Amino acid sequence: MVLNNYHTAPSPLYILGIESSCDETSAAVLCDHLELSNIIASQELIHRYFGGVVPELASRAHQQKIVPVVEEALRVANITKNELHAVAVTSGPGLSGALHVGISFAKSLAFGLGIPLIGVNHMQGHALCHFIESKDHDEAKPDFPYLCLTVSGGHTQIVLVNEPTSMKILGETMDDAAGEAFDKAARLLGLPYPGGPLIDRYGAGGNPLRFKFPKPHMPGLNYSFSGLKTAFLYFIREGVSGDEGFIRNNLSDICASIQHSIVETLMHKLVEACGQTGIKNVCVAGGVSANSALRASLKDTAMAQNWKLHIPPFAYCTDNAAMIAMAGFFQYKEGQFSGMDLSPQVRMTI
Ligand code: KG4
Ligand code: ZN
């Protein structure tokens, strides 16, 4: 990271964000905090057949999509590339080949335009999505410090956000991510990828307490979902061996019960994190934040514990380039730019 204290930020600041860490090719333009465009090309259908993201297919799809997605982001924002002040791009964590596509493109564009390149940590982007404003969304922003529960198909973290560019991971998963736990459970039920939203849908109206699954015992604020996955596998095998129609006849209760288990685990550590830090500003981000049971539990707990809770619109929860441009905006203000040697950091931590 190049620290350049001599660079005074223009006002307003137009930043192009690029995100290609996993299976979404996204480009967005922000004018300071205001989203002018946020284009997302999802690869869901490409990976569905394989039941999960295939890295090589993801890289190829990013290569095909990156130019039209960036062009569309500029067109919708109604600006030309010459009006941009910086290009912010996800530099990690993520899939190596997928990150390479976004980074290479961002480098060339920034170099060609003679404007700064800003490498952004994807997880910091998630934790800062609450600061994006749009025509339809201008809600109160969280006060610092706050805790952000980031839950998606690739991540599960509780992050302490002291300032936009100063964060600390308080807890994270030691194995599967929460979204992965949803998706793997769904797969065992014969549901297509990504199965999280389907578990949510089929679980509606089901009895969340009918089937019990073991709770992980992880030290500190860390998570683990692999034990639950194995317990669920044996539970399904046993059920089906005694009754061929076990899944079909009990789908609603099974979905509600596994969902309840995952949500309880997530909430337990989040409540502990708030207790330990004394922080009552709480945010959530990542695709799993769309889950109805998690949202309900967050809202109930916020009432009971007197939290100030922020749940951003879904478009900013899932992987998107607006959050990368938002993080880039804060880094620009701090003079945190990247050099042309920026390269993917697959296991980048905050
Ligand atoms: O943030 P995201 O779009 O992509 C990354 O993984 O980075 O999150 C996708 C994950 C998937 O695992 C998907 O199953 C899960 O979020 N998800 C849900 C729901 N909507 C999306 N999980 C449970 N309930 C939902 N309603
Ligand atoms: Zn993500």
Side-chain angles (χ1 to χ4, degrees), residues 243-298:
D243 167 16
E244 246 184 37
F246 177 71
I247 295 177
R248 195 175 51 251
N249 298 333
N250 300 284
L251 189 61
S252 190
D253 288 349
I254 298 174
C255 288
S257 298
I258 187 73
Q259 173 171 278
H260 175 75
S261 230
I262 296 171
V263 169
E264 260 210 324
T265 301
L266 289 173
M267 290 304 297
H268 175 69
K269 295 286 168 120
L270 184 60
V271 169
E272 233 176 81
C274 289
Q276 283 180 20
T277 57
I279 293 172
K280 288 188 178 284
N281 297 316
V282 178
C283 301
V284 65
V288 179
S289 61
N291 184 265
S292 58
L294 178 61
R295 281 175 176 245
S297 182
L298 279 164

Side-chain angles (χ1 to χ4, degrees), residues 122 126 152 155 319 323:
H122 179 85
H126 272 303
S152 71
H155 347 276
D319 285 353
M323 70 184 195

Side-chain angles (χ1 to χ4, degrees), residues 52-87:
V53 178
V54 183
E56 182 55 29
L57 294 183
S59 309
R60 289 184 205 185
H62 284 308
Q63 270 181 329
Q64 285 173 349
K65 291 282 168 59
I66 189 94
V67 172
V69 164
V70 169
E71 279 177 346
E72 183 66 0
L74 291 169
R75 191 191 67 75
V76 172
N78 200 21
I79 68 164
T80 66
K81 53 185 182 302
N82 295 315
E83 292 171 85
L84 295 171
H85 295 115
V87 182

Side-chain angles (χ1 to χ4, degrees), residues 122-340:
H122 179 85
M123 301 311 294
Q124 292 200 350
H126 272 303
L128 294 170
C129 73
H130 315 86
F131 292 89
I132 307 167
E133 294 166 5
S134 76
K135 282 195 298 299
D136 323 309
H137 168 79
D138 182 18
E139 283 176 24
K141 300 175 178 68
D143 292 323
F144 296 99
Y146 63 88
L147 297 183
C148 185
L149 174 70
T150 308
V151 272
S152 71
H155 347 276
T156 303
Q157 289 184 345
I158 299 175
V159 179
L160 165 61
V161 186
N162 286 310
E163 284 174 41
T165 54
S166 163
M167 305 186 191
K168 189 177 171 209
I169 297 172
L170 300 184
E172 62 187 328
T173 183
M174 297 287 108
D175 39 61
D176 291 350
E180 225 174 331
F182 271 109
D183 295 340
K184 287 178 176 172
R187 197 172 179 183
L188 289 169
L189 295 172
L191 302 173
Y193 171 84
L198 294 171
I199 294 215
D200 195 353
R201 192 188 313 161
Y202 292 126
N207 178 358
L209 303 177
R210 171 143 171 236
F211 303 111
K212 301 260 184 283
F213 301 105
K215 290 195 175 73
H217 294 287
M218 287 301 288
L221 298 173
N222 288 329
Y223 290 108
S224 166
F225 290 101
S226 65
L228 180 63
K229 176 183 67 184
T230 312
F232 192 70
L233 168 73
Y234 287 121
F235 163 78
I236 292 296
R237 268 195 199 159
E238 200 176 305
V240 173
S241 73
D243 167 16
E244 246 184 37
F246 177 71
I247 295 177
R248 195 175 51 251
N249 298 333
N250 300 284
L251 189 61
S252 190
D253 288 349
I254 298 174
C255 288
S257 298
I258 187 73
Q259 173 171 278
H260 175 75
S261 230
I262 296 171
V263 169
E264 260 210 324
T265 301
L266 289 173
M267 290 304 297
H268 175 69
K269 295 286 168 120
L270 184 60
V271 169
E272 233 176 81
C274 289
Q276 283 180 20
T277 57
I279 293 172
K280 288 188 178 284
N281 297 316
V282 178
C283 301
V284 65
V288 179
S289 61
N291 184 265
S292 58
L294 178 61
R295 281 175 176 245
S297 182
L298 279 164
K299 285 177 189 160
D300 288 351
T301 313
M303 290 275 273
Q305 306 261 347
N306 210 14
W307 289 352
K308 242 170 127 183
L309 177 67
H310 295 262
I311 305 182
F314 190 55
Y316 300 149
C317 283
T318 54
D319 285 353
N320 69 90
M323 70 184 195
I324 302 304
M326 193 69 258
F329 167 86
F330 289 117
Q331 288 180 221
Y332 196 120
K333 296 272 178 185
E334 296 285 318
Q336 294 180 2
F337 303 118
S338 303
M340 282 295 144

